[in-house]
C-alpha cells in the first residue's frame, strides 16, 4: 500500500504543474507575481542601477535613462565607472524617472520588468505599467541612517525578482558589518573627547556651495563625530539644509570636510573657492590650521552608498587616528567598491576631482602668493 501511495505521489508530481516563479509586494503595496525567470529588465529613477549593480545583475539591463549617456569631466557614480557599457545601451527615457513609454515599447529585446526608485517622481508607476504592459516594481531607495530599512528592503525585493536573494543578503550583511565595525571603534570615546566637525559642499539636485550640508550626515553618525549641524536627539529629521555662515563661525568646528561634488560649480564658484576667498571662512580655525579635508561625493544621482562607507572610514581615521591604526582609507575604499561594484574605482574617481579626496585641501587666500 505504501508503495502504491509513493507511486501516486510521484505520478501527481509529474502530471500536475508546480507553481513556479516568485511573488513580491513592492514599496507602494502592489503585488507582483513572476512565473518565469527574469533575464531582461530596466531601471528607472535615481540610484536604481546602483542597486542592480550591487546585486551583480547589471548584465541583464537592456536600456538606461539618459543620465548614463552624459559624458562630463566629473563622474562620481562608482557603479557607472565600473560598467562603462551602460553608455552604449539604448535610452528609454529621462533621468529622475521621466520614462518614455513609447521608447520602452520600442526596445528590442523587451524588458520583462521595470524597477522604479523614488516612485513619486517622474512617470507614475501604475500609468507606466498600464501603457507598457510591463510590471513596474516600485522601490524606496532609503538611506544608510534612519531609513536603512528601506534601502535593505529595496535590495531584498529586487533580489527576489531577479533570483539574486543570496547576493542581496550578502550586500545587506556587508553594510551592517561595516557600520558595526565603525561604531565599535568609536563608541567608547567619551563625549567630551569627540571632535567637532562639519561637512560642506554637499550636492542636492545639483552642486552647491560650502553651506550645503546634511544634518544627519551618516559618516559622522557612524564614527560618533560631533557634527555641529546636527540638531541632536528629538530634533527635526532634515535631509538637507543650508547652514548659516555666521553660525559656522560661532561654533568654529575643529575639523572641516569638503564634499568634492562642489567642484562641479566650476572656477570661481563653489565650496573650495569660498573657503579660499570668503573673509568669514578665513576666520575659521580649521582653515587657519589646515584642517580641511576632501571627501568623496555623498550624492550623485542620489546617495552613493559605497562612497558614504568609504568617507566614514577616512573621517574616522581623521577624527580619531588611534582607533583606525593600520587603515589606509584609499585601500579601504577600493575594498568597498570591489565588493559592491566589482571594480576598484577609487583612483579614476579621485583623479577626476584633482586627487583631492582623503587628504588635506590646499587653501590659499586670494591675496596671498
Amino acid at each position: 500500500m505504501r508503495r502504491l501511495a509513493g507511486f501516486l505521489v510521484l505520478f501527481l508530481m509529474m502530471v500536475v504543474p508546480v507553481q513556479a516563479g516568485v511573488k513580491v509586494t513592492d514599496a507602494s503595496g502592489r503585488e507582483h507575481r513572476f512565473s518565469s525567470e527574469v533575464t531582461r529588465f530596466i531601471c528607472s529613477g535615481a540610484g536604481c542601477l546602483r542597486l542592480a549593480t550591487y546585486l551583480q545583475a547589471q548584465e541583464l539591463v537592456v536600456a538606461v535613462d539618459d543620465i548614463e549617456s552624459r559624458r562630463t569631466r566629473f563622474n562620481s557614480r562608482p557603479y557607472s565607472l565600473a560598467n562603462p557599457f551602460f553608455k552604449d545601451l539604448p535610452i528609454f527615457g529621462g533621468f529622475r524617472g521621466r520614462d518614455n513609454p513609447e521608447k520602452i515599447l520600442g526596445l528590442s529585446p523587451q524588458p520583462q520588468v521595470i524597477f522604479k526608485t523614488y516612485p513619486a517622481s517622474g512617470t507614475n508607476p501604475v500609468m507606466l505599467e498600464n501603457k507598457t504592459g510591463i510590471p513596474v516594481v516600485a522601490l524606496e531607495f532609503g538611506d544608510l541612517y534612519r531609513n536603512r530599512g528601506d534601502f535593505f528592503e529595496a535590495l531584498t525585493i529586487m533580489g527576489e525578482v531577479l533570483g539574486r536573494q543570496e547576493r542581496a543578503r550578502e550586500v545587506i550583511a556587508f553594510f551592517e558589518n561595516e557600520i558595526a565595525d565603525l561604531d565599535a571603534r568609536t563608541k567608547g570615546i567619551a563625549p567630551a573627547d569627540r571632535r567637532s566637525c562639519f561637512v560642506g559642499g554637499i550636492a542636492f539636485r545639483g552642486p552647491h556651495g560650502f553651506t550645503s550640508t546634511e544634518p544627519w550626515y551618516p559618516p559622522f553618525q557612524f564614527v560618533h563625530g560631533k557634527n555641529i549641524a546636527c540638531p541632536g536627539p528629538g530634533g527635526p529629521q532634515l535631509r538637507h539644509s543650508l547652514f548659516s555662515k555666521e553660525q559656522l563661525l560661532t561654533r568654529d568646528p575643529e575639523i572641516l570636510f569638503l564634499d568634492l561634488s562642489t567642484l562641479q560649480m566650476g572656477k570661481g564658484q563653489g565650496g573650495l573657492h569660498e573657503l579660499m576667498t570668503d573673509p568669514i571662512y578665513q576666520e575659521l580655525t580649521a582653515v587657519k590650521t589646515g584642517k580641511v579635508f576632501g571627501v568623496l561625493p555623498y550624492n550623485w544621482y542620489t546617495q552613493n552608498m559605497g562612497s558614504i562607507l568609504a568617507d566614514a572610514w577616512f573621517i574616522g581615521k581623521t577624527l580619531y587616528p588611534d582607533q583606525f591604526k593600520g587603515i589606509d582609507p584609499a585601500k579601504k575604499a577600493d575594498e568597498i567598491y570591489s565588493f559592491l561594484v566589482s571594480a576598484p574605482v577609487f583612483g579614476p574617481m579621485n583623479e577626476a576631482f584633482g586627487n583631492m579626496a582623503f587628504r588635506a585641501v590646499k587653501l590659499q587666500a586670494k591675496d596671498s602668493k
Side-chain angles (χ1 to χ4, degrees):
M1 192 70 180
R2 288 182 182 174
R3 198 178 211 182
L4 181 61
F7 281 129
L8 181 60
V9 170
L10 181 61
F11 173 75
L12 289 173
M13 290 176 65
M14 293 173 63
V15 299
V16 177
V18 177
Q19 179 64 43
V22 64
K23 181 177 72 174
V24 299
T25 301
D26 71 10
S28 65
R30 295 194 305 134
E31 189 176 282
H32 303 271
R33 187 183 294 275
F34 299 90
S35 59
S36 59
E37 180 185 6
V38 173
T39 58
R40 304 180 307 279
F41 69 93
I42 59 176
C43 281
S44 167
C48 195
L49 267 180
R50 183 176 285 115
L51 299 177
T53 302
Y54 289 176
L55 294 180
Q56 297 177 338
Q58 63 269 32
E59 297 294 337
L60 307 182
V61 175
V62 297
V64 294
D65 70 29
D66 65 3
I67 200 171
E68 302 302 330
S69 65
R70 300 179 186 183
R71 290 167 170 79
T72 63
R73 172 190 165 190
F74 300 108
N75 182 359
S76 190
R77 290 172 289 133
Y79 77 86
S80 174
L81 290 169
N83 296 286
F85 77 90
F86 284 153
K87 294 184 176 68
D88 301 319
L89 291 177
I91 304 299
F92 68 79
F95 79 129
R96 293 179 184 158
R98 295 194 289 270
D99 312 304
N100 186 317
E102 289 73 25
K103 287 186 176 181
I104 293 173
L105 288 172
L107 293 173
S108 181
Q110 280 273 293
Q112 297 160 284
V113 60
I114 302 169
F115 293 105
K116 191 172 181 65
T117 53
Y118 298 96
S121 299
T123 309
N124 178 273
V126 175
M127 183 185 75
L128 182 62
E129 185 170 303
N130 290 338
K131 286 190 173 183
T132 61
I134 301 170
V136 178
V137 178
L139 306 170
E140 288 295 343
F141 190 78
D143 57 48
L144 283 183
Y145 190 51
R146 294 191 177 276
N147 299 302
R148 197 181 305 164
D150 289 340
F151 173 54
F152 290 169
E153 184 178 58
L155 287 166
T156 299
I157 293 172
M158 185 181 280
E160 288 177 350
V161 174
L162 298 176
R164 306 296 170 104
Q165 297 95 328
E166 181 59 32
R167 174 61 181 177
R169 287 190 287 269
E170 291 173 356
V171 173
I172 290 168
F174 178 82
F175 278 101
E176 289 180 328
N177 292 337
E178 290 288 308
I179 293 169
D181 191 349
L182 291 162
D183 176 70
R185 290 170 183 266
T186 56
K187 66 182 178 182
I189 298 172
D193 296 328
R194 293 175 183 172
R195 307 189 71 181
S196 59
C197 48
F198 176 85
V199 59
I202 288 180
F204 187 78
R205 292 183 172 267
H208 290 277
F210 193 67
T211 61
S212 177
T213 193
E214 287 281 330
W216 297 92
Y217 187 59
F220 290 159
Q221 300 293 332
F222 297 160
V223 301
H224 301 278
K226 192 185 297 182
N227 180 8
I228 67 164
C230 182
Q237 304 304 309
L238 300 174
R239 180 182 171 193
H240 173 263
S241 72
L242 297 178
F243 199 72
S244 161
K245 286 196 297 184
E246 290 71 22
Q247 186 70 3
L248 186 58
L249 181 60
T250 300
R251 302 289 298 275
D252 198 19
E254 298 172 74
I255 297 180
L256 297 174
F257 296 95
L258 177 69
D259 187 299
L260 297 176
S261 65
T262 192
L263 298 182
Q264 295 175 88
M265 297 183 73
K267 189 175 181 180
Q269 301 182 78
L272 177 60
H273 175 76
E274 293 164 359
L275 287 169
M276 294 172 65
T277 62
D278 190 303
I280 291 180
Y281 293 140
Q282 294 285 301
E283 293 301 314
L284 291 169
T285 299
V287 172
K288 291 179 178 179
T289 59
K291 300 291 186 181
V292 182
F293 299 91
V295 290
L296 296 168
Y298 175 82
N299 278 324
W300 206 286
Y301 208 31
T302 202
Q303 295 171 38
N304 271 323
M305 301 307 205
S307 295
I308 289 170
L309 279 185
D311 284 341
W313 282 95
F314 170 71
I315 288 170
K317 187 176 179 70
T318 303
L319 296 179
Y320 312 114
D322 288 344
Q323 279 70 29
F324 290 84
K325 288 180 179 178
I327 298 295
D328 181 328
K331 289 183 179 179
K332 184 64 179 178
D334 270 339
E335 289 176 13
I336 292 168
Y337 295 134
S338 293
F339 177 79
L340 292 176
V341 302
S342 304
V345 296
F346 175 78
M349 184 164 52
N350 187 28
E351 185 177 356
F353 290 94
N355 295 307
M356 295 172 62
F358 298 175
R359 63 176 57 183
V361 176
K362 293 182 180 180
L363 300 175
Q364 183 177 0
K366 63 179 179 179
D367 57 350
S368 61
K369 302 291 183 183

